[in-house]
């Protein structure tokens, strides 16, 4: 669990714009002061985390990572994350793998990955986000 004083930024990584939009609504419904950003694939997410193309880095505290995406899927993202993201940044990010699949192997692989803090089944709801945030951010007030 991250004992962060606040959850400042969430990065939604999903190739489905509608899912990113709905998840933003669910998070906003929790009435938290949090910035919500989105990426349509793993490559965009890596670029966001590393601050590529941005004037000032806004490191996400939580990454909601879809598994099945074009360009770079969730597992490819995790490989790039492990190789490219400095440890000091990794220590500040909670990754939640999000998938519609109920594939047992995906869940086992996620649990075995040291950088994946949790696994959530789609469809997500405001209650799902609330539970995940409270679980991983002990000082977050919702």
């Amino acid at each position: 669990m991250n004992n962060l004083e606040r959850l400042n930024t969430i990065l939604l990584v999903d190739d489905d714009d509608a899912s990113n939009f709905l998840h933003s609504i669910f998070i906003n419904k929790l009435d938290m002061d949090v910035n919500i950003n989105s990426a349509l694939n793993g490559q965009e997410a890596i670029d966001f985390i590393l601050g590529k193309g941005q004037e000032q880095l806004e490191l996400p505290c939580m990454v909601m990572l879809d598994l099945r995406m074009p360009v770079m899927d969730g597992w490819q993202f995790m490989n790039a994350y492990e190789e490219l993201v400095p440890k000091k940044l990794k220590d500040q990010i909670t990754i939640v793998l999000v998938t519609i699949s109920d594939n047992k192997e995906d869940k086992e692989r996620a649990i075995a990955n040291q950088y994946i803090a949790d696994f959530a089944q789609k469809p997500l709801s405001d209650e799902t986000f609330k539970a995940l945030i409270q679980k991983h951010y002990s000082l977050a007030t919702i």
Side-chain angles (χ1 to χ4, degrees):
M1 176 187 303
N2 292 321
N3 281 319
L4 301 179
E5 290 188 29
R6 334 190 328 89
L7 174 63
N8 297 317
T9 305
I10 296 175
L11 177 61
L12 304 172
V13 186
D14 196 317
D15 62 314
D16 181 22
D17 277 324
S19 290
N20 287 333
F21 179 72
L22 286 173
H23 293 160
S24 295
I25 290 172
F26 293 145
I27 294 166
N28 285 326
K29 191 174 176 184
L30 298 174
D31 199 28
M32 298 173 53
D33 183 20
V34 63
N35 294 321
I36 303 167
N37 296 287
S38 62
L40 295 174
N41 59 63
Q43 184 61 59
E44 287 183 13
I46 286 291
D47 290 347
F48 184 89
I49 290 169
L50 295 176
K52 292 184 179 176
Q54 302 174 49
E55 289 182 24
Q56 185 177 4
L57 177 66
E58 182 180 22
L59 188 69
C61 300
M62 179 176 264
V63 174
M64 302 297 294
L65 178 66
D66 187 32
L67 199 52
R68 309 282 182 245
M69 296 176 288
V71 182
M72 180 187 280
D73 70 19
W75 295 125
Q76 292 166 324
F77 166 87
M78 290 308 304
N79 290 336
Y81 182 84
E82 289 177 34
E83 290 178 24
L84 301 174
V85 177
K87 183 179 180 340
K88 66 180 181 173
L89 298 183
K90 289 178 192 160
D91 290 344
Q92 301 173 55
I93 300 172
T94 300
I95 297 177
V96 177
L97 191 66
V98 180
T99 182
I100 199 158
S101 164
D102 60 355
N103 184 326
K104 189 174 109 174
E105 292 168 5
D106 284 339
K107 187 169 187 176
E108 289 171 357
R109 189 172 172 189
I111 291 168
N113 188 300
Q114 66 177 328
Y115 299 112
I116 298 176
D118 219 324
F119 185 90
Q121 190 84 27
K122 284 183 182 180
L124 300 178
S125 67
D126 54 331
E127 289 301 315
T128 305
F129 280 104
K130 182 176 181 179
L132 286 167
I133 291 166
Q134 288 178 331
K135 178 179 179 182
H136 296 287
Y137 296 88
S138 63
L139 300 178
T141 54
I142 301 176

